[in-house]
Amino acid sequence: MSKQLITLTVNGEPSELAVESHWTLAEVLREQLGLTGVKIGCNAGDCGACTVLLDGKPILSCLTLAVTVEGSSIETIEALARNGVLHPLQKSFLHHGATQCGFCTPGMILTSKAILASNGTPPENVIRDQLSGNMCRCTGYTKIVEAVQNANQELDDPPRSPIKVDAVGQVTGGAKYTDDLSLPRMLYGKILRSPHAHAKIVSIDTSKAEALPGVVAVMIGSELPTKYGVLPASQDETALCIDRVRFIGDGVAAVAAVDERTAQEALRLINVLYELLPPVLSMEDAVRTDLPKIHPETKYENNAAKQVELEFGNAEEGFAEADYVREDEFHYGANTHAMLEPHSALASFESPNQSKSCKEGHLTLWSATQVPHYVHRTLAKVLEMPASHIRVIKPHLGGGFGGKSEPFALEFCAAWLSIKSGRPVKITYTREEVFYSHRGRHATKMQLKTGVKKDGSITAVQYKAMLDGGAYGSYGLVTTYYSGQLLTLPYKVPRYKFESTRFYTNKPPSGPKRGHGAVQPRFAFEAHLDRIAEHLGLDPAEIRLRNLVEPNSMTVNSLRITSCGVKECIEAVMKASGWKEKHRKLPRGHGLGIAASAYISGAGKEINWLGLPHSGAVVKIDRGGGVTVFCGASDIGQGSSTVLAQLTAKTLGVDISHVRVYEADTDLTPVDLGSYSSRVTFMAGNAVLRAAEDLIGKIFDTVAEKLQTAKENLVARSNEIFVNDDPTKQVSFIEAARLAEAKFGTLSAVGWYTPPPLGGTYKGAGAGPSPSYSFTAHVAKVEVDEETGHVKVSKVWSAHDCGKALNKTLVEGQIQGSVHMGIGEALTEEMNYTRATKETPGGLLKATSLLDYKIPTSIDTPPIDVTIVETIDPEGPLGAKEAGEGPLLAVPPAIANAIYDAVGIRLSSVPFTQEKVLAALRGQARSKKAISETTEVSAK
Amino acid sequence: MMRLPSFDVAIPRTMPELLENLRPNGLGVKIMAGGTDLLVNMKQGFHISRRLVWPGRIEELRHINTQIGGEISIGAMATLSDVAASDVVKTSYPSLSKAVLSIATPAVRNRATIGGNLCLDTRCYFYNESEFWRSSLGGCLKLNIPTHGTGDVCHSAPGNAMCSAVSSSDSAPILLALGASVEIQSAQGKRIVPLSDFYANDGMRFLNLATGELLKRIILPVSRYGLRSAHNKVRSRQSVDFPLANVGIAGVVEDGRVFTYLRIYVGAIQSAPIRVPSAEALLNGREATTVLIEKGAEEAASCVKPIQNVGGTVGYRKRMVAMLVKRTLVQLLTSARD
């Protein structure tokens, strides 16, 4: 197929381009014109990230052939700012904090531009409707809608909180994500995946693929046989499968070729011979002992991966003491992160002697990861290469939510293919591969038994969980513990017993997703508690208030509570929602539900138990007054770099514009364990704070001498150091820094954070303790369509105790995003698999696109009202603790409880799909009918 | 990124040139309208054709106007956005405008066309998946994958001899209810057929369109005095999603309480929109009481035969048909417009 010349106007400039007929506009814009602000989130028209304007109208460039836009005018995000001045929409997005990871932002802004062009002051419902093809996974849309509504307003006031330090790049298309990077002579890699859920690999023949022109390197699993896993205790993965495949989508071989189409073609030429094994597709299968073990090396007879049993106090005594004991069963379906940016890794291996020996060369890996440090460690292990020869860099990241918090096959494959070929290799997953990579929420079956006194006070809780872990360990050991350990918050549980078992199954591996381990039991417990309250005739809010843990206390399983504002959270959402006036009082079909939760601010124990700091930072001051922060913490869109910049700026008394943060680069930045477990603000924040305090101490020493005052009298603010009670005595920050440098030498300082010893002494006490816990309460309002079963969440009121909101806009964004994700989990998102039939063995993931995996759109996500509760944590940086994950936990139960308030059905299985709701309503109608018939009979 | 396989694209500038391009040549050609569905399928490795013809440059295929006789004519290449926003359509048939606005997303509608939506490939859980996915499952009736499986199995309903992939167009049921016709043209000439004759209830060959033929335009009859119409759909999200069930109903309401001339079409259940004459007969000419409407709705649901091949179980989708018919009839009764 020969290329043809087309002319079109791109961003106001006439362009003549040679394109092939089958190239999409997205490919041409990104790869020929370098306009990488055009994002590819799904490449199938389901996410809107690739939106561009075609003659002023938004279209999807991934579904438009370049040859069909000849003569047209195309506008991408890159051209929105004119002569260096941002477009009002771009300014408004910055001002309102409407970007988090920024991956949806270009498409979102371009669509918004078209909305404003046809409707100067659109109402909220029009904006939500018109943006409904642009998925955002971070913000919950609330701030985006605000930004669009107010785009034409003059922005007189400064923004309430500092603007994200990376946001300008996000709104202009300048931010480079991993897939936006390319290097000279770069090859494209692809991974061949297993079509079988469980099979032995008999042989792999790659000769035909190797012979295909354009293919440069091919690899199979036996080339990298070293096992790895993110947790030291579950090293059960290899870069590619060697002798056995464990789920449909497991990697088997990989190729690198001159372009992606050739790589795609080469995969078809690899011949793998499999010997099928019976698949283990459910937890019912997994408990059987007559099916093959997925990991034969485990100590269990069946496919259990980890079993935990712990008891604190005597639960039976507690039940005996209770006035009412209730038992319920719950199920939580599997769901996944669906971050908009697919995983991507670019590897470049350079060897001084043209030698392919790993020992000599140096490898640089750019990867869309939440955990550069773990990727770094694991690459060294698997590649058998000195870690000192490896550099891992996380570029701008398009959302993670836990889905990028361990090493993935593409990182090893890109690296190894680069080593083999001597050329840079980039692998970007397709949306379908992202679904197979999974590591999301474990499907969980749960049994709860709770004893209460008449006044609602809890006497004992017993919990039993079965977790569907999928094919590999991932963080599953931790999930198994968290499932039970975190259930003792936020209510006082005087006696507690739990049993938690994770199973291997032949499905994509489950792992950590926002609210790791705690989301499923929190749903179960909050729904359970609502039923208990009803039995006792108590207001559901009241039973919660009566059982709350208190500040500076210890749970029965030795979790140390310091700051705690859960009571304030519950009271805040009751007030904001008009709980007392509305609960149980709305017309049928409308209802309110409440739930509360707590979550860790980072894990007290580092996963490798090495006794090393969890986070480290270097802060240096330049002679020009610039301050540079180096910290391994990964900004994954949540704004951690902004928070670190703020902490530094505040401590040194300089404007935040003078602070630059270099993050997540294993060569440049001290180790931070990564962005997971809601640990970054707390831990990296403390590390940076410590370094900045060290520096300001030196500066104060110097200035005190010069101004002839005591160090304690000095204040650093507004780029000056001055005497507190006589501000005329001052030295500029730049001068102060120079004086300090003259006195102390080059100005830089290190800081680090290691949590204090926490937790009990029993086996398993390491999982659950955190230096601090956040607390949340939500009230959800729903409208249930009793004819379709559709549940519309029409409003959510949230209150969250984050200790101290270092950046209110970012905190609100985290809460609103968590609520969005919680609504998706509660109503529409689920990982389902094909069942075994006569024709097929089953185990094939049914939703492998963003069309079939249903994340809520801007129409399906309600306005989310946020109250921030501040409790000033004694150990958090300036009193701060987590906000990124905790606010998700109580969303599904608040919705479940609201559905009950609306229509009187108790749902025990997440998600509450339309179908399940309708079935429950029909069941209710039948039993009502039966009751009324019985009553009639007895009346006669 | 999933890359498209290589193919040629012909972009004719005139109708004769277009028809010339469509002439059977033994290699097969495929017309691409908006491409918003076709290109997804091609990225998923359906080996549709090595040659696409895109009629997007032919102005006459994009018209929306009122003809001399009062009929409304819509060119097949008019975009869904243009159809929905057209004053001609909004004035005479707002129900069509509303139905079109329920399709996909705003950006898709700016590119997707009304002709493309009427010719939308039928959908199935086991079909609209990637090449890898299908290779894992094996071939099916609708999709013969030479290397991976023969085409004699239906994964939705093992034992079925005929493919039941679902007609998922949101414009078809309402256009059918409104009595639309389509003009079909080939190098040999043109024919105008009722839209109802355009469809076949067969997941594989769901269009009565011969090789070399093209759906040129849609013709809506003169809006009859007193005709009311409405479209409704059920889906899980309020944007993006294809329908789990939809209905298009048109009819006259006499004295504000008696339906006559009802045409009820149920879409997204079988391989073509299904008309339910027995339900129409039950409803026509009688006072539209709640009981009668419910009976009519149940009758409509009993006439359609979903299988489990898109989201939702068979039972749920049948119930949704009854609900939609009921809801739409009530809407017709209470709508102010005559």
Side-chain angles (χ1 to χ4, degrees), chain A residues 389-405:
Chain A
H389 288 205
I390 300 174
R391 177 181 185 186
V392 177
I393 302 168
K394 174 211 67 85
H396 218 101
L397 192 105
F401 314 112
K404 295 171 179 166
S405 55

Side-chain angles (χ1 to χ4, degrees), chain B residues 1 7 35 40 47 51 59 88 112 116 129-130 140 159 192 217 265-266 271 277 280 290 315 318 326 329-330 336:
Chain B
M1 198 199 294
F7 50 75
V40 177
H47 300 291
R51 187 169 176 79
E59 211 45 48
V88 171
E129 296 286 354
S130 74
C140 75
I192 291 179
R217 64 187 182 109
Y265 276 88
V266 177
S271 300
E280 293 167 7
T290 311
K318 274 194 104 129
K326 184 178 120 186
L329 288 170
V330 170

